[in-house]
Amino acid sequence: LYADVITNINDIRQAQRLRYETFCEEYAVKLPVNGYWNNEPIDMDEFDDHCIHFVVRETVTNDIVGYTRALPCERAKQIGDFYSSHEFDLSAIKALPGKFLEIGRTCIRKDYRNGATIAVLWGKLAQHLLQNGYNYLFGCASISLADGGLQYSAIMNIVRNKHMSAPDVRVTPKL
């Protein structure tokens, strides 16, 4: 496995296909079909053209098996705001000094969810953060409730007990 930043439109479409397969086909998320690639639906939105696209590739086949996109604060200002601003009031964290990078649409192909793939992806992302002087990394995450909320409850207990930000820099949901 190796990580890469992609700019080629066919690579981006392959990554958007992986997003559609993961979110819509596997997890049954209802997203609008905004495009097709090789006659297959893909997950794309108005933020994709402004994001940096990080992928993990399988070394032998060169297939994309992991993905996340990143929206730098400078580009978010140019297009109006971050993706997360649709879901959350971000004013508390945007008031902090420094540079922000928002990540989203992170997914790993089902047969590569073994820990190594996400580690390679996060390694490439961390390298980008350090090389470009970002102070903050944030983004939305979705947690399945198919188990009745057990996974959500376990994750939130860990966050609340060990990793919760200070009250003055927390975001608040819009819904």
Side-chain angles (χ1 to χ4, degrees):
L1 299 174
Y2 69 97
D4 199 6
V5 172
I6 57 172
T7 57
N8 176 288
I9 193 66
N10 284 324
D11 288 340
I12 292 170
R13 294 294 182 256
Q14 184 182 351
Q16 291 168 326
R17 178 65 192 146
L18 174 64
R19 288 170 20 185
Y20 186 88
E21 289 170 354
T22 302
F23 302 129
C24 298
E25 293 176 358
E26 186 178 345
Y27 289 107
V29 174
K30 303 292 185 220
L31 295 173
V33 176
N34 292 324
Y36 288 85
W37 180 67
N38 290 341
N39 296 316
E40 298 280 343
I42 58 175
D43 168 38
M44 62 187 289
D45 66 19
E46 68 274 15
F47 291 91
D48 282 326
D49 289 343
H50 307 281
C51 289
I52 301 163
H53 301 275
F54 295 88
V55 297
V56 175
R57 292 183 183 274
E58 203 286 325
T59 307
V60 175
T61 65
N62 215 33
D63 288 344
I64 294 173
V65 298
Y67 173 83
T68 197
R69 70 178 184 188
L71 181 61
C73 53
E74 305 84 18
R75 294 183 192 179
K77 285 179 188 172
Q78 291 172 353
I79 60 172
D81 214 338
F82 292 101
Y83 171 86
S84 300
S85 68
H86 290 112
E87 306 287 334
F88 297 93
D89 175 1
L90 304 177
S91 57
I93 60 170
K94 290 192 319 189
L96 295 169
K99 289 176 62 176
F100 297 86
L101 187 67
E102 177 188 45
I103 61 168
R105 293 295 209 268
T106 305
C107 57
I108 304 295
R109 201 170 84 184
K110 192 173 189 172
D111 54 336
Y112 281 84
R113 291 184 199 145
N114 55 17
T117 309
I118 197 77
V120 170
L121 186 62
W122 288 157
K124 185 69 171 180
L125 184 61
Q127 179 185 41
H128 182 81
L129 288 165
L130 292 172
Q131 289 175 343
N132 292 280
Y134 288 99
N135 305 94
Y136 304 98
L137 175 69
F138 71 97
C140 294
S142 300
I143 302 171
S144 173
L145 299 177
D147 64 357
L150 295 175
Q151 182 181 19
Y152 167 79
S153 180
I155 290 170
M156 285 310 300
N157 282 335
I158 293 168
V159 169
R160 284 187 189 103
N161 292 326
K162 296 183 179 181
H163 305 290
M164 194 67 135
S165 62
D168 60 327
V169 293
R170 289 185 193 153
V171 299
T172 54
K174 290 188 172 179
L175 296 177

